[in-house]
Amino acid sequence: MRRVRFCVLLTGLLLAIPAFADSDWKTIQHEAKGQTVWFNAWGGDQAVNRYLDWVSGEMKTHYAITLKIVHLADAADAVKRIQTEYRAGRKSGGSVDLLWVNGENFRTLKEAGLLQTGWAQTLPDWRYVDKAKPVTEDFAIATEGAESPWGAAQLTFIGRQANFAAPLRDPDALLTYAQQHPGKISYPRPPDFTGTAFLEQLLLTLTTTPDALKTAPDPHSFDAVTAPLWRYLDQLHPLLWREGKDFPPSPARMDALLASGNLDLSLTFNPAHARQKVNSGELPADSLSFGFSDGMIGNVHFVAIPVNASASAGARVVANFLLSPQAQIRKADPTVWGDPSVLDVQKLPPTEAAALRQFIPADLPKMLPEPHAAWVNALEQEWLRRYGTR
């Protein structure tokens, strides 16, 4: 009889946990009603901007939240603003409520204690997240619930079928192609994010000590670890567009050069980017995506809430909506944005699973983990020292 009573009690406790969590979330939703949430996000792509406009409409209609989008040229601008406000004593009532943040800026804010922690896994729609993706670390740094995932990304080449009957399998194949087609290859000038990611990809593939990239660079071993990268670039650069004396400022410029025939390759951090740009008419119809056969670096991108946010409850409701099947399916549609989802289709109801599955890019290369966040600045500074003044 005691065992039966214990089992009944245990079952009751287990059933009570979701009920309590649901009640807690309703309290957050109630607090969020009427709030204005200032969402600082990169504004360099019209498809992204249109998607966020739709999110703003949904938040107003269904949650009584006014979502204001601050379009950034660089998320570092918002990071500086958060730092400045906090140093000035603005411990609450900050001007940034939600921030689309990259790994480097996340590290800066987290190490300074400027992010709210422990909230991401409490979001109701966290239950749909694909835990096989790196959703609890960002550039090899544990998120500790300070970031909520809302999209996946992977470095991807874009070429035309007429030029690439078979994809380039590795850096040697890329170098050979550049030798055969001088002036037709380039990459965005670091510190452009995609340009730096290209450097990281080459380093991860070429170095003889890849484990060194899992931690911050060691000044004593930096030269030895990175030597294969610089030897490779010294061979590649004279074969590039404008002989490596100039570089496209952004992936968007590379897309335009690809469309005009001035380049044979573009670079993106979105495997669905080519489909989206073909649909919009910005890239030729025979454009295709591919990566090195051993894998391409990838990550998950996140939103974070500053520690001094004015509308923390509203920011959490927005972050949860960004994780919802409805929002993730729309975002994954290449006619809308084409940003890969962070949800696990196996965890979704059948209708939503089928809708999302049609937008998952096929034949993606293995996703390789990005180096530790500290490698970004180290590689950019060394690249600028070697090639930036030519």
Side-chain angles (χ1 to χ4, degrees):
M1 182 63 71
R2 285 182 184 174
R3 185 174 182 180
V4 171
R5 280 200 296 265
F6 174 77
C7 290
V8 171
L9 176 62
L10 179 61
T11 301
L13 288 172
L14 292 173
L15 290 173
I17 292 172
F20 175 79
D22 183 60
S23 174
D24 195 46
W25 181 249
K26 286 181 179 178
T27 300
I28 292 174
Q29 286 184 307
H30 180 74
E31 183 183 345
K33 283 185 178 179
Q35 288 188 339
T36 296
V37 175
W38 291 90
F39 183 11
N40 286 237
W42 176 65
D45 188 292
Q46 290 307 308
V48 176
N49 296 338
R50 287 192 296 270
Y51 176 77
L52 291 178
D53 288 342
W54 171 78
V55 171
S56 296
E58 294 296 294
M59 299 314 299
K60 189 69 171 179
T61 300
H62 301 292
Y63 300 95
I65 291 172
T66 300
L67 183 63
K68 298 286 190 179
I69 309 298
V70 179
H71 299 290
L72 302 172
D74 190 335
D77 296 336
V79 171
K80 292 174 184 175
R81 192 162 7 109
I82 294 167
Q83 292 171 320
T84 300
E85 290 176 356
Y86 198 81
R87 281 196 295 264
R90 199 168 174 179
K91 301 303 193 297
S92 61
S95 64
V96 179
D97 295 306
L98 193 66
L99 175 65
W100 183 6
V101 62
N102 65 25
E104 186 180 12
N105 291 325
F106 167 69
R107 180 184 65 145
T108 298
L109 291 171
K110 185 171 183 287
E111 289 180 350
L114 294 178
L115 294 178
Q116 296 183 23
T117 60
W119 60 271
Q121 285 90 333
T122 69
L123 300 178
D125 286 339
W126 175 266
R127 66 187 184 272
Y128 297 127
V129 170
D130 184 355
K131 310 304 190 301
K133 290 183 169 65
V135 293
T136 57
E137 66 175 37
D138 195 353
F139 272 71
I141 298 173
T143 62
E144 297 180 323
E147 292 183 302
S148 175
W150 74 302
Q154 189 172 25
L155 188 65
T156 304
F157 295 110
I158 301 174
R160 298 188 62 178
Q161 183 70 46
N163 297 323
F164 297 97
L168 303 175
R169 297 181 56 83
D170 53 34
D172 286 341
L174 176 62
L175 182 61
T176 298
Y177 188 91
Q179 291 167 341
Q180 296 170 346
H181 305 84
K184 290 294 190 175
I185 302 293
S186 191
Y187 60 93
R189 177 186 175 89
D192 173 85
F193 175 81
T194 306
T196 302
F198 179 66
L199 300 182
E200 293 179 307
Q201 173 70 45
L202 292 175
L203 178 60
L204 187 64
T205 307
L206 296 170
T207 186
T208 58
T209 55
D211 286 346
L213 306 182
K214 297 178 181 178
T215 57
D218 181 346
H220 301 292
S221 61
F222 180 82
D223 289 345
V225 172
T226 60
L229 170 63
W230 312 125
R231 284 197 298 268
Y232 181 87
L233 292 180
D234 286 345
Q235 296 178 73
L236 181 67
H237 278 189
L239 305 168
L240 295 182
W241 177 72
R242 296 184 175 174
E243 299 179 333
K245 296 175 182 177
D246 191 15
F247 293 82
S250 66
R253 178 60 177 154
M254 289 194 70
D255 284 351
L257 291 168
L258 174 63
S260 66
N262 288 292
L263 286 181
D264 286 353
L265 274 183
S266 186
L267 270 173
T268 178
F269 223 87
N270 181 351
H273 180 81
R275 283 181 62 190
Q276 179 212 22
K277 295 303 180 183
V278 167
N279 287 335
S280 66
E282 296 172 71
L283 284 180
D286 67 338
S287 298
L288 62 124
S289 301
F290 61 88
F292 292 151
S293 57
D294 288 341
M296 300 289 284
I297 61 171
N299 64 24
V300 167
H301 53 95
F302 299 83
V303 292
I305 303 174
V307 71
N308 65 345
S310 298
S312 295
R316 293 189 189 196
V317 174
V318 174
N320 187 65
F321 179 76
L322 294 175
L323 272 182
S324 68
Q326 174 195 8
Q328 289 279 306
I329 291 167
R330 184 180 181 89
K331 182 168 65 70
D333 184 344
T335 65
V336 176
W337 177 358
D339 189 53
S341 175
V342 292
L343 303 188
D344 183 347
V345 292
Q346 304 298 327
K347 296 178 180 178
L348 298 178
T351 301
E352 285 81 359
L356 182 57
R357 192 174 281 113
Q358 66 178 318
F359 299 132
I360 298 176
D363 302 322
L364 289 177
K366 180 175 67 173
M367 183 181 287
L368 303 178
E370 289 180 302
H372 187 279
W375 280 93
V376 170
N377 185 63
L379 289 176
E380 289 174 349
Q381 293 304 312
E382 184 63 15
W383 188 94
L384 290 169
R385 188 184 73 79
R386 288 172 176 265
Y387 310 112
T389 58
R390 292 185 181 183

